Amino acid sequence: MADVLAAQGVGVDYPTPAGAVTAIDGVTVAVPDQGITVFAGPSGSGKSTLLRVLALVERPTRGVVELSGETVSTRSHRQLRALRRQTIALMFQSPLENLLPELTAAQNVIAAAQSAGQAPDLELLGVVGLDGMGDYRVPALSGGQQQRLALCCALARDPKVVLADEPTSQLDDTSAGLVLESLKVLVDRGVPVAVASHDDRVIELADRVVRMRSGRVA
Ligand SMILES: Nc1ncnc2c1ncn2[C@@H]1O[C@H](COP(=O)(O)OP(=O)(O)OP(=O)(O)O)[C@@H](O)[C@H]1O
Ligand SMILES: [Mg+2]
């Protein structure tokens, strides 16, 4: 097993009116190219910050991020944007943030595939249990269905890795269970997944758990 993503000694500081706040510090973690890695820890422990840095959305203040063994976090914002589009799918907590709400489910899948230069495959809707719902507009889908559509869009982009920040926290138990099943489907199709969550149901699913505390790996 190789690592698809790795953080080496990563620290992130944020400027605030009261001075710099260190969100994470000295974090060295790897996301292997198989299975589900979960970043767990209490609120404020730095899970989302770590995920954003690994997703190349943000550059670390200290340390580096490697993609498939190559240091990439030192590249320009423009280069990172291009790299991200081709290789990384990042999923947010709020279902609507992950989708184009004025489009149908099928149109979202097509747009996602095209954004990564992939040929759209609408059969993927069935993979996440949304067969027959291609013509539904996003607002007509439940939160859980929207999250599964977001996973479908991630799959359509054929990324090297999927990163998800608290994908179940805004869902009821049943919907969360279905989203987790879809996450497993992604992993079974060979896509490595990293999830930030303090949800026990997510942690149960993990192949490995990285525990965070006060911005560090515990
Ligand atoms: N943009 C920012 N500006 C200032 N401080 C920030 C910023 N983003 C995060 N922080 C701080 O960094 C620390 C880690 O935050 P982060 O959101 O990564 O934690 P988290 O583990 O995801 O928490 P939660 O479980 O509540 O989502 C917190 O103390 C937070 O207040
Ligand atoms: Mg968070």
Side-chain angles (χ1 to χ4, degrees), residues 42-104:
S43 181
S45 58
K47 305 180 296 294
S48 296
T49 304
L50 176 59
L51 217 63
R52 283 196 302 273
V53 169
L54 286 172
L56 309 177
V57 171
E58 235 174 84
R59 279 197 299 202
T61 314
R62 296 172 290 285
V64 296
V65 174
E66 297 169 354
L67 176 69
S68 303
E70 193 180 341
T71 296
V72 291
S73 53
T74 48
R75 296 187 186 177
S76 72
H77 286 293
R78 207 170 126 251
Q79 286 174 320
L80 287 183
R81 218 170 20 246
L83 192 59
R84 206 165 61 224
R85 207 166 34 231
Q86 290 155 9
T87 55
I88 296 172
L90 175 63
M91 202 176 142
F92 301 101
Q93 182 170 10
S94 165
L96 276 179
E97 264 188 82
N98 296 311
L99 298 167
L100 299 166
E102 67 281 11
L103 301 184
T104 64

Side-chain angles (χ1 to χ4, degrees), residues 14-16 21-24 41-50 52 93 165-166 196 198 212 215:
Y14 292 112
T16 72
V21 168
T22 298
I24 55 176
S43 181
S45 58
K47 305 180 296 294
S48 296
T49 304
L50 176 59
R52 283 196 302 273
Q93 182 170 10
D165 195 358
E166 312 261 12
H198 38 55
M212 306 278 300

